[in-house]
Amino acid sequence: MNARAHDLRIFEVVKETAEAVTLIFDVPDELTDRFGYAPGQFLTVRVPSDRDGSVARCYSLCSSPHCDERMAVTVKRTPDGYASNWICDNVAVDSVLTVLEPSGAFVPRSLGDDVLLCAAGSGITPIMSIAKSVLVAGAGHVTLVYANRDSDSVIFDRQLRELAEKFPARLHVAHWLVEHRGMPTAAGIAELVAPYTGREVYLCGPAAFAAATTDALRGLGVSADRIHLEEYRSLDSNPFVAPAAEPAPGGAAGGPVVHVEFDGDTYDFDWPDQTPLLDVLLAAGLDIPYVCRESACGTCVCSVKSGRTRMRQNESLIDEELERGLTLACQTLPESDRVHVAFDQ
């Protein structure tokens, strides 16, 4: 089992809509530091499966570390979605779920800046965490564009109205209901967001909504580096099942060597040139944080202090982060004989 996995008791289950529930966790005092989180991050949940033993799913935190006593995630049923249906049907107060510590890079750069938040359906979950954090702990103005099928499917409807009453000068919510306006279009979204294009944008929702919103923003001249997109997808691997700790192939003497700073200690390992850094370090017994192993979540980010590396693919780091030397261990290969990396950011 992943060393970052912990069993947490469910403190409360809140039915948000007919299709969505919020799970509020009770984190014991001894794990408080482990479960510190930033607005916009997610938890990875282990869901039992008769066929596979378990499956892993990532659910964004809807709570804010700045104003909520307990952390919480919201889960919406999806058609034929085994994990979401299992959670909605089976999880109750005092249930125990195994979860990984918080991860994710969909985090606001500053709580003091004005932000434009765009969400559809359950994509409101991390957006809600960001909105509450900016309003409660920051000074920025928040504009939220939120698309749903109809009024009954609006997750956090009551909470959003309460926030609007509490922060009338700083929060503006624009609902897009498909039953009245049809599916969101780039032209329609552009009309709503045009006054706010000077802000950082945080976007989460189904692929069609994300594409329409991105097209709208780019058409209004918003640069790609100011559009932050959180994508939901199933994991191809299960981080709750530890990979076999076998020596990586090809680690002959004279090949690349990596010098690693991790958790206050330093290590040196042979690094076969076709083996991702994460695989090398896990095989060596280091408890490197990871979730997806697919470049999407950003959990295994580290910095290259010296030497040259390349990534096989990158779906979570932006140009500014790459310029600072950040890389994803799950995708990183060596391109020089000696590389120095650090995980203590």
Side-chain angles (χ1 to χ4, degrees):
M1 182 73 74
N2 192 314
R4 297 173 61 246
H6 307 276
D7 291 339
L8 297 183
R9 186 180 69 86
I10 299 299
F11 177 80
E12 186 178 358
V13 178
V14 179
K15 187 173 183 179
E16 303 288 354
T17 69
E19 299 176 335
V21 298
T22 292
L23 309 180
I24 302 175
F25 292 90
D26 188 16
V27 178
D29 292 342
E30 62 270 21
L31 292 178
T32 298
D33 291 342
R34 292 279 195 167
F35 280 92
Y37 64 97
Q41 289 193 305
F42 63 85
L43 295 181
T44 305
V45 181
R46 180 184 182 274
V47 178
S49 167
D50 292 336
R51 184 179 63 184
D52 302 314
S54 71
V55 296
R57 294 292 184 267
C58 301
Y59 296 109
S60 292
L61 289 151
C62 60
S63 53
S64 165
H66 301 285
C67 60
D68 292 310
E69 181 181 358
R70 292 180 171 86
M71 68 178 191
V73 301
T74 299
V75 180
K76 182 181 179 180
R77 292 182 188 272
T78 56
D80 300 320
Y82 170 77
S84 63
N85 283 284
W86 185 92
I87 288 173
C88 290
D89 291 337
N90 293 279
V91 177
V93 173
D94 288 333
S95 294
V96 175
L97 292 179
T98 302
V99 303
L100 297 184
E101 295 160 17
S103 298
F106 187 66
V107 175
R109 293 178 175 177
S110 168
L111 298 182
D113 296 333
D114 296 344
V115 292
L116 171 61
L117 309 178
C118 301
S122 61
I124 189 63
T125 308
I127 295 297
M128 188 67 171
S129 178
I130 293 171
K132 288 191 289 186
S133 297
V134 171
L135 292 169
V136 172
H141 290 73
V142 176
T143 295
L144 168 62
V145 176
Y146 186 18
N148 280 284
R149 181 179 63 248
D150 51 40
S151 58
D152 290 336
S153 61
V154 177
I155 302 173
F156 306 133
D157 182 51
R158 177 182 57 81
Q159 295 95 315
L160 287 171
R161 284 188 278 108
E162 290 175 352
L163 284 172
E165 291 175 3
K166 186 175 182 179
F167 301 98
R170 294 176 54 210
L171 173 62
H172 171 64
V173 181
H175 288 282
W176 182 302
L177 299 181
V178 173
E179 67 174 353
H180 298 313
R181 304 189 61 175
M183 295 299 292
T185 63
I189 294 171
E191 291 182 9
L192 295 176
V193 304
Y196 312 104
T197 54
R199 305 180 180 186
E200 294 288 318
V201 183
Y202 297 88
L203 164 61
C204 186
F209 174 79
T213 303
T214 300
D215 288 346
L217 293 166
R218 297 305 300 273
L220 291 168
V222 179
S223 60
D225 64 343
R226 288 182 26 236
I227 303 172
H228 310 280
L229 174 63
E230 179 73 320
E231 295 183 275
Y232 289 144
R233 71 183 191 190
S234 296
L235 301 176
D236 291 334
S237 59
N238 187 340
F240 293 99
V241 179
E246 298 177 356
V257 173
V258 59
H259 178 73
V260 181
E261 296 179 36
F262 176 67
D263 203 21
D265 292 317
T266 59
Y267 309 86
D268 289 279
F269 301 113
D270 291 336
W271 187 359
D273 58 11
Q274 295 303 312
T275 303
L277 176 60
L278 179 63
D279 291 359
V280 171
L281 302 183
L282 292 176
L286 296 191
D287 181 28
I288 302 298
Y290 71 94
V291 173
C292 72
R293 302 178 70 124
E294 300 160 21
S295 90
C297 72
T299 305
C300 63
V301 66
C302 57
S303 58
V304 179
K305 300 298 186 181
S306 64
R308 300 187 312 279
T309 63
R310 66 179 176 89
M311 281 190 286
R312 297 185 299 187
Q313 63 179 15
N314 168 36
E315 298 181 50
S316 58
L317 298 181
I318 61 176
D319 290 344
E320 176 184 319
E321 293 167 325
L322 296 175
E323 291 170 0
R324 286 165 41 205
L326 299 186
T327 191
L328 301 170
C330 69
Q331 300 297 320
T332 299
L333 302 175
E335 287 207 323
S336 61
D337 290 338
R338 189 164 184 86
V339 179
H340 176 187
V341 301
F343 285 85
D344 305 318
Q345 297 303 309

